[in-house]
């Protein structure tokens, strides 16, 4: 009986010790993750080009990871709609990130590259436009965030290092 009681007490002590160590949190040791992007595509007149029901808009699309392990490495970029019926791509993750530069062990830049194949019908013929998007990420021990987005090699979004977490909204004008 004494042997069994000692094991139970030892198990309880280990459980309490494990709980105390694993539940302790240091707010400063948490890394902020800020990488969600909502991508809108409009024409110069402001027409939503992702609404397939509107004339001249794109009716289908595919996204491919340029750093993928094969020639065709699809990336999931779902098409969503706001409450006021505007369509947008929601990109959270999926494309491979590569180190772009390392300014030190606590400050790095990563980037992803994707190709967007946007299809629409023009004069009864399917027209495909291939666009490129490069996403640059800032990494430090305290933050991992989107810092800059280039669409067809043009900067369309930037974010300061001390900017708060938010859904990063990008509007592409085509």
């Amino acid at each position: 009986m004494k042997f069994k009681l000692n094991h139970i007490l030892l198990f309880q002590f280990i459980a309490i010790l494990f709980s105390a160590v694993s539940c302790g949190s240091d707010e400063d040791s948490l890394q902020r993750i800020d990488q969600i992007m909502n991508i809108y595509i409009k024409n110069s007149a402001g027409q939503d080009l992702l609404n397939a029901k509107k004339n001249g808009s794109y009716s289908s699309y595919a996204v491919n990871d340029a750093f993928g392990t094969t020639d065709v490495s699809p990336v999931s970029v779902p098409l969503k709609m706001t409450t006021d019926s505007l369509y947008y791509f929601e990109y959270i993750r999926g494309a491979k990130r590569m180190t772009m530069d390392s300014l030190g062990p606590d400050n790095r830049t990563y980037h992803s590259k994707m190709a967007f194949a946007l299809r629409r019908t023009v004069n009864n013929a399917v027209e495909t436009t291939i666009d490129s998007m490069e996403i640059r990420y800032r990494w430090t021990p305290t933050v991992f965030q989107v810092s800059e987005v280039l669409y067809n090699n043009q900067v369309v979004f930037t974010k300061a290092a001390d900017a708060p977490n938010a859904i990063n909204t990008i509007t592409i004008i085509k």
Side-chain angles (χ1 to χ4, degrees):
M1 177 78 169
K2 189 174 186 177
F3 179 74
K4 197 174 195 180
L5 183 61
N6 284 341
H7 278 93
I8 291 171
L9 289 174
L10 181 63
F11 178 72
Q12 285 179 336
F13 175 74
I14 291 171
I16 290 169
L17 182 64
F18 178 75
S19 295
V21 170
S22 66
C23 290
S25 74
D26 179 6
E27 286 285 327
D28 294 335
S29 69
L30 297 177
Q31 185 183 44
R32 278 189 310 123
I33 307 294
D34 182 13
Q35 65 183 28
I36 298 173
M37 295 186 304
N38 289 351
I39 306 159
Y40 296 83
I41 300 181
K42 299 180 178 185
N43 66 15
S44 58
Q47 177 185 331
D48 178 3
L49 294 179
L50 297 176
N51 185 344
K53 295 177 185 174
K54 292 188 177 181
N55 222 5
S57 294
Y58 299 106
S59 56
S60 66
Y61 69 97
V63 183
N64 193 48
D65 184 355
F67 294 147
T69 53
T70 60
D71 286 344
V72 178
S73 295
V75 178
S76 176
V77 182
L79 186 62
K80 298 202 168 191
M81 185 174 65
T82 65
T83 54
D84 47 339
S85 300
L86 288 175
Y87 287 85
Y88 64 95
F89 293 125
E90 180 185 61
Y91 179 73
I92 298 174
R93 66 185 174 285
K96 187 182 280 186
R97 291 185 290 264
M98 306 289 280
T99 303
M100 200 168 158
D101 62 34
S102 184
L103 303 174
D106 291 342
N107 189 357
R108 289 183 228 140
T109 303
Y110 292 92
H111 67 142
S112 298
K113 289 186 179 182
M114 295 178 282
F116 282 74
L118 306 166
R119 292 176 199 84
R120 64 178 160 192
T121 303
V122 177
N123 297 328
N124 295 324
V126 176
E127 177 183 280
T128 302
T129 302
I130 306 293
D131 290 341
S132 66
M133 177 181 278
E134 180 180 0
I135 306 164
R136 296 180 181 170
Y137 301 92
R138 177 182 300 109
W139 180 92
T140 69
T142 58
V143 69
F144 178 78
Q145 71 181 163
V146 173
S147 61
E148 187 174 56
V149 176
L150 289 82
Y151 198 83
N152 291 336
N153 297 317
Q154 299 295 312
V155 175
V156 293
F157 178 83
T158 57
K159 187 170 200 169
D162 57 352
N165 275 27
I167 293 176
N168 304 300
T169 302
I170 298 152
T171 302
I172 309 299
I173 305 297
K174 294 186 65 74

